[in-house]
Amino acid sequence: MLNKSSIISVIGLGYVGLPTALVIANRGYTVIGVDTNDKVVNQINSGKVPLFEPDLDLILKNTIKSYKFSVSLVPQPSDVFIISVPTPFKKNKVPDLKYLRKAVQNIAPVISKNNLIILESTSPVGTTEKVRDWLARLRLDLNMPGTSEEPDIYIAHSPERVLPGKVFKELIENDRVIGGITPECTGKAISFYNSFVSGECHATSAKTAELIKLSENAFRDNNIAFANEISMICESLNVDVWEVIELANMHPRVDILNPGPGVGGHCIAVDPWFIVDSAPHLTPLIQSARKVNSNKCKTIIKKIRKKIRRENIQNIGFLGLSYKANIDDLRESPSLQIAETVSNKFDGKVFVCEPNIKQLPEGLKKNRNTALVSLKKCVDGSDLLVLLTDHKEFLDVPFEKLKGKKVIDTRGVWRFKG
Ligand code: SAJ
């Protein structure tokens, strides 16, 4: 049985792993955070956050003081191992499990009888069983669940489902889907999560849990693709897309999401491809949604270029680079892609305002005409303002400041100001 003297290791201290480790440590467990990146380990050890998430800095400082949380480059013997490493795709959109495989190789030598191993990384269907098979080959002395009558360890999948920006709240309050390789594995994992999650823990199989997580993100991608397609139709018909969606959503059974510059981040832009990889011929809708959302980004680039040509634009201001509001995450960000692509071939000045970063990413930094500036400088200095990410700082730009400027508002946040 697990109790508060149990040791929990969290493998991978990224956007989900680090907050998860802190939440569990604050519930009284002794937690070891493990990451192969020494920069991340050193930063956390000195109380500095390696990424932005509301409240993370304060919670990290307080948790370090409690002596319930330590960080290490190599895994140590523990009662529970939570694997929370990236599962990206390769260039050809095929899932890349190299970080997961490495994590399994790293924990294999320190695993012992009765350990619970939980895969939290979003994974293609069948991955939890793969983890079991990798471990079986590395630890011939241990009986594995699902292949032995008397298994020595427990293995389960409990996909993370937290929204960046609201991670601490959702880690505790969201329901969880928990699928073990066997019902015993599921039960063991549920009793662990019940000790720190207030949401309900739903029991299922490992494969089903994998597909549930992928389906959630593919569903959201489809809904956003629908909104983006409607937005392009509206543009061609000269109709206000925001009004269309707002009023359509007043229907009791319609709930269209918001159009934008495309879909970014390391989840929704990636995970649908894991389903496509498992069933290429059965996924025309999922594949189309991906195409529509990628095309939306290209459409915005064309729109900006047309405006530059037609209106003789000398200075452009881009507002927001991160993939969504109020975070610093630039991964797969359509906002960044748009700002980079346009500024690469623009002769005038490019002002970028991104309140959540301290320096421009390489792709923009290399352009001598491009500078990271304050909101005031960006707005005052530009003849064309392109709102790419709807950060809170941008919502209250006074109407007078926008007067006389050309504006492309990809998120519809200034629609009442024009
Ligand atoms: N977006 C729109 N219009 C919308 C909503 C979002 O264009 O109406 C765009 C955002 O700007 C962003 C992208 O979609 O570029 C994704 O943002 P998001 O807030 O929808 O989702 P993520 O990627 O930050 O987090 C998602 C969540 N999944 C679902 O809501 C189904 C989260 O719960 C998952 O835990 C996370 O993926 C993950 O880790 O998989």
Side-chain angles (χ1 to χ4, degrees), residues 16 122 160-164 170 174 213 216-217 220 224 228 257-268 271 323-325 334 390 411:
V16 177
T122 306
E160 60 83 9
R161 296 155 106 193
V162 290
L163 197 69
E170 295 209 350
N174 282 6
K213 169 63 198 267
E216 289 165 359
N217 280 356
R220 194 160 168 84
I224 299 168
N228 278 331
L257 285 169
N258 295 314
V263 165
H266 213 58
C267 312
I268 296 192
D271 301 349
Y323 85 88
K324 66 175 194 175
D390 44 346
R411 303 276 183 173

PDB file of all heavy atoms in Angstrom, residues 16 122 160-164 170 174 213 216-217 220 224 228 257-268 271 323-325 334 390 411, ligand 1:
ATOM      1  N   VAL A  16       4.091  19.823 -17.693  1.00  0.00           N
ATOM      2  CA  VAL A  16       3.178  19.017 -16.878  1.00  0.00           C
ATOM      3  C   VAL A  16       3.932  18.340 -15.731  1.00  0.00           C
ATOM      4  O   VAL A  16       3.472  18.336 -14.587  1.00  0.00           O
ATOM      5  CB  VAL A  16       2.454  17.963 -17.749  1.00  0.00           C
ATOM      6  CG1 VAL A  16       1.562  17.076 -16.898  1.00  0.00           C
ATOM      7  CG2 VAL A  16       1.619  18.649 -18.818  1.00  0.00           C
ATOM      8  N   THR A 122       1.033  11.995 -23.403  1.00  0.00           N
ATOM      9  CA  THR A 122       0.048  11.649 -24.430  1.00  0.00           C
ATOM     10  C   THR A 122       0.704  10.682 -25.414  1.00  0.00           C
ATOM     11  O   THR A 122       1.789  10.968 -25.927  1.00  0.00           O
ATOM     12  CB  THR A 122      -0.398  12.923 -25.170  1.00  0.00           C
ATOM     13  OG1 THR A 122      -0.849  13.855 -24.194  1.00  0.00           O
ATOM     14  CG2 THR A 122      -1.495  12.635 -26.161  1.00  0.00           C
ATOM     15  N   GLU A 160      -2.274  13.062 -19.069  1.00  0.00           N
ATOM     16  CA  GLU A 160      -2.484  14.403 -18.505  1.00  0.00           C
ATOM     17  C   GLU A 160      -3.493  15.124 -19.387  1.00  0.00           C
ATOM     18  O   GLU A 160      -3.502  14.936 -20.607  1.00  0.00           O
ATOM     19  CB  GLU A 160      -1.146  15.144 -18.401  1.00  0.00           C
ATOM     20  CG  GLU A 160      -0.397  15.362 -19.720  1.00  0.00           C
ATOM     21  CD  GLU A 160      -0.882  16.577 -20.480  1.00  0.00           C
ATOM     22  OE1 GLU A 160      -1.678  17.349 -19.918  1.00  0.00           O
ATOM     23  OE2 GLU A 160      -0.476  16.729 -21.653  1.00  0.00           O
ATOM     24  N   ARG A 161      -4.355  15.931 -18.767  1.00  0.00           N
ATOM     25  CA  ARG A 161      -5.388  16.634 -19.551  1.00  0.00           C
ATOM     26  C   ARG A 161      -5.480  18.098 -19.144  1.00  0.00           C
ATOM     27  O   ARG A 161      -6.504  18.743 -19.307  1.00  0.00           O
ATOM     28  CB  ARG A 161      -6.746  15.970 -19.313  1.00  0.00           C
ATOM     29  CG  ARG A 161      -6.798  14.547 -19.803  1.00  0.00           C
ATOM     30  CD  ARG A 161      -7.841  13.804 -19.018  1.00  0.00           C
ATOM     31  NE  ARG A 161      -9.044  13.536 -19.771  1.00  0.00           N
ATOM     32  CZ  ARG A 161     -10.179  13.125 -19.230  1.00  0.00           C
ATOM     33  NH1 ARG A 161     -10.257  12.960 -17.939  1.00  0.00           N
ATOM     34  NH2 ARG A 161     -11.230  12.898 -19.971  1.00  0.00           N
ATOM     35  N   VAL A 162      -4.377  18.616 -18.577  1.00  0.00           N
ATOM     36  CA  VAL A 162      -4.437  19.980 -18.021  1.00  0.00           C
ATOM     37  C   VAL A 162      -4.188  21.035 -19.091  1.00  0.00           C
ATOM     38  O   VAL A 162      -3.438  20.819 -20.031  1.00  0.00           O
ATOM     39  CB  VAL A 162      -3.418  20.159 -16.874  1.00  0.00           C
ATOM     40  CG1 VAL A 162      -3.846  19.361 -15.668  1.00  0.00           C
ATOM     41  CG2 VAL A 162      -2.014  19.754 -17.313  1.00  0.00           C
ATOM     42  N   LEU A 163      -4.814  22.177 -18.888  1.00  0.00           N
ATOM     43  CA  LEU A 163      -4.698  23.280 -19.839  1.00  0.00           C
ATOM     44  C   LEU A 163      -3.558  24.203 -19.419  1.00  0.00           C
ATOM     45  O   LEU A 163      -3.585  24.754 -18.314  1.00  0.00           O
ATOM     46  CB  LEU A 163      -6.022  24.063 -19.850  1.00  0.00           C
ATOM     47  CG  LEU A 163      -6.243  24.971 -21.044  1.00  0.00           C
ATOM     48  CD1 LEU A 163      -6.458  24.154 -22.310  1.00  0.00           C
ATOM     49  CD2 LEU A 163      -7.436  25.877 -20.809  1.00  0.00           C
ATOM     50  N   PRO A 164      -2.523  24.373 -20.268  1.00  0.00           N
ATOM     51  CA  PRO A 164      -1.472  25.325 -19.925  1.00  0.00           C
ATOM     52  C   PRO A 164      -2.090  26.676 -19.552  1.00  0.00           C
ATOM     53  O   PRO A 164      -3.018  27.154 -20.206  1.00  0.00           O
ATOM     54  CB  PRO A 164      -0.663  25.422 -21.226  1.00  0.00           C
ATOM     55  CG  PRO A 164      -0.863  24.089 -21.875  1.00  0.00           C
ATOM     56  CD  PRO A 164      -2.267  23.689 -21.540  1.00  0.00           C
ATOM     57  N   GLU A 170      -6.280  22.579 -12.669  1.00  0.00           N
ATOM     58  CA  GLU A 170      -6.790  21.413 -13.398  1.00  0.00           C
ATOM     59  C   GLU A 170      -6.130  20.101 -12.958  1.00  0.00           C
ATOM     60  O   GLU A 170      -6.760  19.052 -13.010  1.00  0.00           O
ATOM     61  CB  GLU A 170      -6.644  21.637 -14.911  1.00  0.00           C
ATOM     62  CG  GLU A 170      -7.524  22.783 -15.406  1.00  0.00           C
ATOM     63  CD  GLU A 170      -7.973  22.651 -16.851  1.00  0.00           C
ATOM     64  OE1 GLU A 170      -7.468  21.766 -17.560  1.00  0.00           O
ATOM     65  OE2 GLU A 170      -8.847  23.444 -17.263  1.00  0.00           O
ATOM     66  N   ASN A 174      -9.532  18.345 -12.276  1.00  0.00           N
ATOM     67  CA  ASN A 174     -10.037  17.602 -13.449  1.00  0.00           C
ATOM     68  C   ASN A 174     -10.291  16.135 -13.105  1.00  0.00           C
ATOM     69  O   ASN A 174      -9.575  15.541 -12.304  1.00  0.00           O
ATOM     70  CB  ASN A 174      -9.008  17.613 -14.582  1.00  0.00           C
ATOM     71  CG  ASN A 174      -8.992  18.932 -15.334  1.00  0.00           C
ATOM     72  OD1 ASN A 174      -9.663  19.876 -14.962  1.00  0.00           O
ATOM     73  ND2 ASN A 174      -8.198  18.992 -16.389  1.00  0.00           N
ATOM     74  N   LYS A 213      -7.622  10.254 -24.739  1.00  0.00           N
ATOM     75  CA  LYS A 213      -6.848  11.507 -24.733  1.00  0.00           C
ATOM     76  C   LYS A 213      -6.658  12.043 -26.158  1.00  0.00           C
ATOM     77  O   LYS A 213      -6.839  13.236 -26.427  1.00  0.00           O
ATOM     78  CB  LYS A 213      -5.495  11.272 -24.059  1.00  0.00           C
ATOM     79  CG  LYS A 213      -4.492  12.388 -24.212  1.00  0.00           C
ATOM     80  CD  LYS A 213      -4.977  13.683 -23.560  1.00  0.00           C
ATOM     81  CE  LYS A 213      -4.235  14.895 -24.054  1.00  0.00           C
ATOM     82  NZ  LYS A 213      -3.117  15.290 -23.291  1.00  0.00           N
ATOM     83  N   GLU A 216      -9.914  13.527 -27.513  1.00  0.00           N
ATOM     84  CA  GLU A 216     -10.256  14.847 -26.952  1.00  0.00           C
ATOM     85  C   GLU A 216      -9.570  15.953 -27.742  1.00  0.00           C
ATOM     86  O   GLU A 216     -10.190  16.943 -28.128  1.00  0.00           O
ATOM     87  CB  GLU A 216      -9.805  14.927 -25.483  1.00  0.00           C
ATOM     88  CG  GLU A 216     -10.635  14.070 -24.548  1.00  0.00           C
ATOM     89  CD  GLU A 216      -9.973  13.867 -23.185  1.00  0.00           C
ATOM     90  OE1 GLU A 216      -8.846  14.370 -22.950  1.00  0.00           O
ATOM     91  OE2 GLU A 216     -10.587  13.198 -22.342  1.00  0.00           O
ATOM     92  N   ASN A 217      -8.269  15.765 -27.981  1.00  0.00           N
ATOM     93  CA  ASN A 217      -7.536  16.820 -28.685  1.00  0.00           C
ATOM     94  C   ASN A 217      -7.903  16.885 -30.169  1.00  0.00           C
ATOM     95  O   ASN A 217      -7.961  17.969 -30.748  1.00  0.00           O
ATOM     96  CB  ASN A 217      -6.027  16.635 -28.487  1.00  0.00           C
ATOM     97  CG  ASN A 217      -5.583  17.178 -27.134  1.00  0.00           C
ATOM     98  OD1 ASN A 217      -6.376  17.757 -26.390  1.00  0.00           O
ATOM     99  ND2 ASN A 217      -4.320  17.009 -26.790  1.00  0.00           N
ATOM    100  N   ARG A 220     -11.163  18.812 -30.421  1.00  0.00           N
ATOM    101  CA  ARG A 220     -10.984  20.267 -30.296  1.00  0.00           C
ATOM    102  C   ARG A 220     -10.377  20.832 -31.590  1.00  0.00           C
ATOM    103  O   ARG A 220     -10.753  21.885 -32.062  1.00  0.00           O
ATOM    104  CB  ARG A 220     -10.085  20.577 -29.092  1.00  0.00           C
ATOM    105  CG  ARG A 220     -10.116  22.033 -28.666  1.00  0.00           C
ATOM    106  CD  ARG A 220      -9.631  22.174 -27.237  1.00  0.00           C
ATOM    107  NE  ARG A 220      -9.374  23.554 -26.850  1.00  0.00           N
ATOM    108  CZ  ARG A 220     -10.280  24.400 -26.411  1.00  0.00           C
ATOM    109  NH1 ARG A 220     -11.539  24.022 -26.321  1.00  0.00           N
ATOM    110  NH2 ARG A 220      -9.953  25.629 -26.075  1.00  0.00           N
ATOM    111  N   ILE A 224     -12.090  23.738 -33.895  1.00  0.00           N
ATOM    112  CA  ILE A 224     -11.384  24.985 -34.263  1.00  0.00           C
ATOM    113  C   ILE A 224     -11.259  25.079 -35.787  1.00  0.00           C
ATOM    114  O   ILE A 224     -11.408  26.163 -36.368  1.00  0.00           O
ATOM    115  CB  ILE A 224      -9.998  25.065 -33.581  1.00  0.00           C
ATOM    116  CG1 ILE A 224     -10.151  25.049 -32.059  1.00  0.00           C
ATOM    117  CG2 ILE A 224      -9.253  26.328 -34.010  1.00  0.00           C
ATOM    118  CD1 ILE A 224      -8.849  24.826 -31.286  1.00  0.00           C
ATOM    119  N   ASN A 228     -12.350  28.050 -38.148  1.00  0.00           N
ATOM    120  CA  ASN A 228     -11.430  28.691 -39.093  1.00  0.00           C
ATOM    121  C   ASN A 228     -11.974  28.644 -40.520  1.00  0.00           C
ATOM    122  O   ASN A 228     -11.835  29.604 -41.283  1.00  0.00           O
ATOM    123  CB  ASN A 228     -10.042  28.034 -39.018  1.00  0.00           C
ATOM    124  CG  ASN A 228      -9.234  28.585 -37.852  1.00  0.00           C
ATOM    125  OD1 ASN A 228      -9.414  29.734 -37.443  1.00  0.00           O
ATOM    126  ND2 ASN A 228      -8.340  27.779 -37.295  1.00  0.00           N
ATOM    127  N   LEU A 257     -16.125  26.875 -31.586  1.00  0.00           N
ATOM    128  CA  LEU A 257     -14.998  27.569 -30.938  1.00  0.00           C
ATOM    129  C   LEU A 257     -14.607  28.804 -31.752  1.00  0.00           C
ATOM    130  O   LEU A 257     -15.273  29.147 -32.739  1.00  0.00           O
ATOM    131  CB  LEU A 257     -13.836  26.598 -30.764  1.00  0.00           C
ATOM    132  CG  LEU A 257     -14.038  25.570 -29.640  1.00  0.00           C
ATOM    133  CD1 LEU A 257     -12.977  24.493 -29.700  1.00  0.00           C
ATOM    134  CD2 LEU A 257     -14.018  26.226 -28.258  1.00  0.00           C
ATOM    135  N   ASN A 258     -13.513  29.437 -31.341  1.00  0.00           N
ATOM    136  CA  ASN A 258     -13.116  30.689 -31.984  1.00  0.00           C
ATOM    137  C   ASN A 258     -12.097  30.483 -33.100  1.00  0.00           C
ATOM    138  O   ASN A 258     -11.135  29.731 -32.916  1.00  0.00           O
ATOM    139  CB  ASN A 258     -12.470  31.618 -30.947  1.00  0.00           C
ATOM    140  CG  ASN A 258     -13.468  32.026 -29.901  1.00  0.00           C
ATOM    141  OD1 ASN A 258     -14.600  32.406 -30.223  1.00  0.00           O
ATOM    142  ND2 ASN A 258     -13.082  31.915 -28.647  1.00  0.00           N
ATOM    143  N   PRO A 259     -12.272  31.198 -34.213  1.00  0.00           N
ATOM    144  CA  PRO A 259     -11.214  31.159 -35.225  1.00  0.00           C
ATOM    145  C   PRO A 259      -9.995  31.922 -34.709  1.00  0.00           C
ATOM    146  O   PRO A 259     -10.085  32.657 -33.729  1.00  0.00           O
ATOM    147  CB  PRO A 259     -11.834  31.880 -36.420  1.00  0.00           C
ATOM    148  CG  PRO A 259     -12.947  32.700 -35.863  1.00  0.00           C
ATOM    149  CD  PRO A 259     -13.383  32.076 -34.574  1.00  0.00           C
ATOM    150  N   GLY A 260      -8.875  31.728 -35.339  1.00  0.00           N
ATOM    151  CA  GLY A 260      -7.650  32.416 -34.928  1.00  0.00           C
ATOM    152  C   GLY A 260      -6.620  32.302 -36.028  1.00  0.00           C
ATOM    153  O   GLY A 260      -6.968  32.026 -37.183  1.00  0.00           O
ATOM    154  N   PRO A 261      -5.335  32.457 -35.694  1.00  0.00           N
ATOM    155  CA  PRO A 261      -4.306  32.372 -36.736  1.00  0.00           C
ATOM    156  C   PRO A 261      -3.888  30.940 -37.049  1.00  0.00           C
ATOM    157  O   PRO A 261      -2.940  30.723 -37.797  1.00  0.00           O
ATOM    158  CB  PRO A 261      -3.135  33.144 -36.096  1.00  0.00           C
ATOM    159  CG  PRO A 261      -3.315  32.951 -34.637  1.00  0.00           C
ATOM    160  CD  PRO A 261      -4.791  32.835 -34.379  1.00  0.00           C
ATOM    161  N   GLY A 262      -4.547  29.964 -36.461  1.00  0.00           N
ATOM    162  CA  GLY A 262      -4.167  28.553 -36.637  1.00  0.00           C
ATOM    163  C   GLY A 262      -4.055  27.920 -35.270  1.00  0.00           C
ATOM    164  O   GLY A 262      -4.317  28.570 -34.260  1.00  0.00           O
ATOM    165  N   VAL A 263      -3.683  26.664 -35.255  1.00  0.00           N
ATOM    166  CA  VAL A 263      -3.624  25.945 -33.977  1.00  0.00           C
ATOM    167  C   VAL A 263      -2.172  25.621 -33.641  1.00  0.00           C
ATOM    168  O   VAL A 263      -1.453  25.068 -34.456  1.00  0.00           O
ATOM    169  CB  VAL A 263      -4.465  24.654 -34.056  1.00  0.00           C
ATOM    170  CG1 VAL A 263      -4.148  23.721 -32.907  1.00  0.00           C
ATOM    171  CG2 VAL A 263      -5.948  25.019 -34.032  1.00  0.00           C
ATOM    172  N   GLY A 264      -1.759  25.993 -32.434  1.00  0.00           N
ATOM    173  CA  GLY A 264      -0.378  25.737 -32.034  1.00  0.00           C
ATOM    174  C   GLY A 264      -0.296  24.914 -30.768  1.00  0.00           C
ATOM    175  O   GLY A 264      -1.270  24.317 -30.320  1.00  0.00           O
ATOM    176  N   GLY A 265       0.906  24.931 -30.191  1.00  0.00           N
ATOM    177  CA  GLY A 265       1.140  24.166 -28.967  1.00  0.00           C
ATOM    178  C   GLY A 265       1.616  22.769 -29.305  1.00  0.00           C
ATOM    179  O   GLY A 265       1.640  22.360 -30.470  1.00  0.00           O
ATOM    180  N   HIS A 266       1.942  22.059 -28.240  1.00  0.00           N
ATOM    181  CA  HIS A 266       2.536  20.754 -28.479  1.00  0.00           C
ATOM    182  C   HIS A 266       1.527  19.633 -28.334  1.00  0.00           C
ATOM    183  O   HIS A 266       1.891  18.466 -28.237  1.00  0.00           O
ATOM    184  CB  HIS A 266       3.711  20.552 -27.508  1.00  0.00           C
ATOM    185  CG  HIS A 266       4.777  19.738 -28.121  1.00  0.00           C
ATOM    186  ND1 HIS A 266       5.392  20.101 -29.285  1.00  0.00           N
ATOM    187  CD2 HIS A 266       5.317  18.552 -27.781  1.00  0.00           C
ATOM    188  CE1 HIS A 266       6.265  19.178 -29.614  1.00  0.00           C
ATOM    189  NE2 HIS A 266       6.239  18.227 -28.719  1.00  0.00           N
ATOM    190  N   CYS A 267       0.240  20.006 -28.301  1.00  0.00           N
ATOM    191  CA  CYS A 267      -0.775  18.972 -28.050  1.00  0.00           C
ATOM    192  C   CYS A 267      -1.732  18.858 -29.225  1.00  0.00           C
ATOM    193  O   CYS A 267      -1.724  17.875 -29.957  1.00  0.00           O
ATOM    194  CB  CYS A 267      -1.540  19.323 -26.783  1.00  0.00           C
ATOM    195  SG  CYS A 267      -0.469  19.761 -25.425  1.00  0.00           S
ATOM    196  N   ILE A 268      -2.544  19.919 -29.396  1.00  0.00           N
ATOM    197  CA  ILE A 268      -3.620  19.811 -30.385  1.00  0.00           C
ATOM    198  C   ILE A 268      -3.077  19.774 -31.810  1.00  0.00           C
ATOM    199  O   ILE A 268      -3.665  19.154 -32.695  1.00  0.00           O
ATOM    200  CB  ILE A 268      -4.642  20.943 -30.145  1.00  0.00           C
ATOM    201  CG1 ILE A 268      -5.275  20.711 -28.774  1.00  0.00           C
ATOM    202  CG2 ILE A 268      -5.679  20.992 -31.250  1.00  0.00           C
ATOM    203  CD1 ILE A 268      -6.468  21.524 -28.453  1.00  0.00           C
ATOM    204  N   ASP A 271      -1.225  15.752 -31.537  1.00  0.00           N
ATOM    205  CA  ASP A 271      -1.886  14.497 -31.157  1.00  0.00           C
ATOM    206  C   ASP A 271      -2.808  13.885 -32.226  1.00  0.00           C
ATOM    207  O   ASP A 271      -2.862  12.651 -32.345  1.00  0.00           O
ATOM    208  CB  ASP A 271      -2.679  14.684 -29.849  1.00  0.00           C
ATOM    209  CG  ASP A 271      -1.755  15.124 -28.714  1.00  0.00           C
ATOM    210  OD1 ASP A 271      -0.521  15.074 -28.906  1.00  0.00           O
ATOM    211  OD2 ASP A 271      -2.265  15.525 -27.656  1.00  0.00           O
ATOM    212  N   TYR A 323       1.690  30.548 -28.500  1.00  0.00           N
ATOM    213  CA  TYR A 323       0.639  29.864 -29.254  1.00  0.00           C
ATOM    214  C   TYR A 323      -0.758  30.169 -28.737  1.00  0.00           C
ATOM    215  O   TYR A 323      -1.739  29.983 -29.447  1.00  0.00           O
ATOM    216  CB  TYR A 323       0.927  28.366 -29.333  1.00  0.00           C
ATOM    217  CG  TYR A 323       0.457  27.523 -28.174  1.00  0.00           C
ATOM    218  CD1 TYR A 323      -0.814  26.983 -28.135  1.00  0.00           C
ATOM    219  CD2 TYR A 323       1.317  27.256 -27.102  1.00  0.00           C
ATOM    220  CE1 TYR A 323      -1.232  26.197 -27.080  1.00  0.00           C
ATOM    221  CE2 TYR A 323       0.907  26.466 -26.055  1.00  0.00           C
ATOM    222  CZ  TYR A 323      -0.363  25.941 -26.038  1.00  0.00           C
ATOM    223  OH  TYR A 323      -0.776  25.161 -24.989  1.00  0.00           O
ATOM    224  N   LYS A 324      -0.814  30.645 -27.467  1.00  0.00           N
ATOM    225  CA  LYS A 324      -2.122  31.093 -26.975  1.00  0.00           C
ATOM    226  C   LYS A 324      -1.925  32.113 -25.859  1.00  0.00           C
ATOM    227  O   LYS A 324      -0.787  32.385 -25.456  1.00  0.00           O
ATOM    228  CB  LYS A 324      -2.980  29.923 -26.529  1.00  0.00           C
ATOM    229  CG  LYS A 324      -2.466  29.194 -25.329  1.00  0.00           C
ATOM    230  CD  LYS A 324      -3.491  28.145 -24.955  1.00  0.00           C
ATOM    231  CE  LYS A 324      -3.254  27.596 -23.586  1.00  0.00           C
ATOM    232  NZ  LYS A 324      -4.307  26.690 -23.184  1.00  0.00           N
ATOM    233  N   ALA A 325      -3.025  32.643 -25.355  1.00  0.00           N
ATOM    234  CA  ALA A 325      -2.958  33.795 -24.452  1.00  0.00           C
ATOM    235  C   ALA A 325      -2.285  33.498 -23.115  1.00  0.00           C
ATOM    236  O   ALA A 325      -2.445  32.409 -22.546  1.00  0.00           O
ATOM    237  CB  ALA A 325      -4.375  34.305 -24.191  1.00  0.00           C
ATOM    238  N   PRO A 334       1.481  29.325 -34.318  1.00  0.00           N
ATOM    239  CA  PRO A 334       1.213  29.973 -35.606  1.00  0.00           C
ATOM    240  C   PRO A 334       1.549  31.466 -35.546  1.00  0.00           C
ATOM    241  O   PRO A 334       1.954  32.055 -36.547  1.00  0.00           O
ATOM    242  CB  PRO A 334      -0.290  29.750 -35.821  1.00  0.00           C
ATOM    243  CG  PRO A 334      -0.854  29.337 -34.515  1.00  0.00           C
ATOM    244  CD  PRO A 334       0.266  28.792 -33.684  1.00  0.00           C
ATOM    245  N   ASP A 390      -4.007  36.683 -28.092  1.00  0.00           N
ATOM    246  CA  ASP A 390      -4.890  37.570 -27.317  1.00  0.00           C
ATOM    247  C   ASP A 390      -4.479  37.685 -25.842  1.00  0.00           C
ATOM    248  O   ASP A 390      -5.280  37.437 -24.937  1.00  0.00           O
ATOM    249  CB  ASP A 390      -6.349  37.094 -27.432  1.00  0.00           C
ATOM    250  CG  ASP A 390      -6.502  35.578 -27.295  1.00  0.00           C
ATOM    251  OD1 ASP A 390      -5.490  34.859 -27.382  1.00  0.00           O
ATOM    252  OD2 ASP A 390      -7.641  35.118 -27.099  1.00  0.00           O
ATOM    253  N   ARG A 411      -7.752  37.477 -33.722  1.00  0.00           N
ATOM    254  CA  ARG A 411      -8.495  36.838 -32.625  1.00  0.00           C
ATOM    255  C   ARG A 411      -9.835  37.513 -32.322  1.00  0.00           C
ATOM    256  O   ARG A 411     -10.549  37.090 -31.419  1.00  0.00           O
ATOM    257  CB  ARG A 411      -7.653  36.875 -31.338  1.00  0.00           C
ATOM    258  CG  ARG A 411      -6.299  36.224 -31.444  1.00  0.00           C
ATOM    259  CD  ARG A 411      -6.379  34.742 -31.225  1.00  0.00           C
ATOM    260  NE  ARG A 411      -5.058  34.143 -31.273  1.00  0.00           N
ATOM    261  CZ  ARG A 411      -4.807  32.888 -30.986  1.00  0.00           C
ATOM    262  NH1 ARG A 411      -5.773  32.084 -30.610  1.00  0.00           N
ATOM    263  NH2 ARG A 411      -3.590  32.401 -31.072  1.00  0.00           N
TER     264      ARG A 411
HETATM  265  N1  SAJ B   1      -7.507  27.886 -30.270  1.00  0.00           N
HETATM  266  C1  SAJ B   1      -8.241  28.547 -31.220  1.00  0.00           C
HETATM  267  N2  SAJ B   1      -9.579  28.740 -30.968  1.00  0.00           N
HETATM  268  C2  SAJ B   1     -10.179  28.315 -29.833  1.00  0.00           C
HETATM  269  C3  SAJ B   1      -9.408  27.636 -28.872  1.00  0.00           C
HETATM  270  C4  SAJ B   1      -8.068  27.431 -29.120  1.00  0.00           C
HETATM  271  O1  SAJ B   1      -7.732  28.955 -32.274  1.00  0.00           O
HETATM  272  O2  SAJ B   1     -11.364  28.557 -29.682  1.00  0.00           O
HETATM  273  C5  SAJ B   1      -6.075  27.641 -30.517  1.00  0.00           C
HETATM  274  C6  SAJ B   1      -5.171  28.282 -29.462  1.00  0.00           C
HETATM  275  O3  SAJ B   1      -4.919  29.634 -29.776  1.00  0.00           O
HETATM  276  C7  SAJ B   1      -3.948  27.414 -29.554  1.00  0.00           C
HETATM  277  C8  SAJ B   1      -4.514  26.040 -29.867  1.00  0.00           C
HETATM  278  O4  SAJ B   1      -5.814  26.256 -30.368  1.00  0.00           O
HETATM  279  O5  SAJ B   1      -3.098  27.815 -30.615  1.00  0.00           O
HETATM  280  C9  SAJ B   1      -4.571  25.074 -28.712  1.00  0.00           C
HETATM  281  O6  SAJ B   1      -4.937  25.751 -27.515  1.00  0.00           O
HETATM  282  P1  SAJ B   1      -5.964  25.148 -26.453  1.00  0.00           P
HETATM  283  O7  SAJ B   1      -6.111  26.132 -25.367  1.00  0.00           O
HETATM  284  O8  SAJ B   1      -7.201  24.720 -27.139  1.00  0.00           O
HETATM  285  O9  SAJ B   1      -5.289  23.800 -25.970  1.00  0.00           O
HETATM  286  P2  SAJ B   1      -3.833  23.389 -25.418  1.00  0.00           P
HETATM  287  O10 SAJ B   1      -3.074  22.818 -26.571  1.00  0.00           O
HETATM  288  O11 SAJ B   1      -3.185  24.464 -24.651  1.00  0.00           O
HETATM  289  O12 SAJ B   1      -4.253  22.230 -24.402  1.00  0.00           O
HETATM  290  C10 SAJ B   1      -4.960  21.116 -24.910  1.00  0.00           C
HETATM  291  C11 SAJ B   1      -6.169  20.841 -24.001  1.00  0.00           C
HETATM  292  N3  SAJ B   1      -7.043  19.884 -24.648  1.00  0.00           N
HETATM  293  C12 SAJ B   1      -8.381  20.069 -24.732  1.00  0.00           C
HETATM  294  O13 SAJ B   1      -8.922  21.059 -24.311  1.00  0.00           O
HETATM  295  C13 SAJ B   1      -9.170  18.988 -25.357  1.00  0.00           C
HETATM  296  C14 SAJ B   1      -5.685  20.344 -22.641  1.00  0.00           C
HETATM  297  O14 SAJ B   1      -6.783  19.962 -21.833  1.00  0.00           O
HETATM  298  C15 SAJ B   1      -4.745  19.145 -22.826  1.00  0.00           C
HETATM  299  O15 SAJ B   1      -4.252  18.666 -21.578  1.00  0.00           O
HETATM  300  C16 SAJ B   1      -3.564  19.620 -23.636  1.00  0.00           C
HETATM  301  O16 SAJ B   1      -4.063  20.014 -24.934  1.00  0.00           O
HETATM  302  C17 SAJ B   1      -2.571  18.486 -23.768  1.00  0.00           C
HETATM  303  O17 SAJ B   1      -1.585  18.502 -23.022  1.00  0.00           O
HETATM  304  O18 SAJ B   1      -2.806  17.569 -24.535  1.00  0.00           O
END
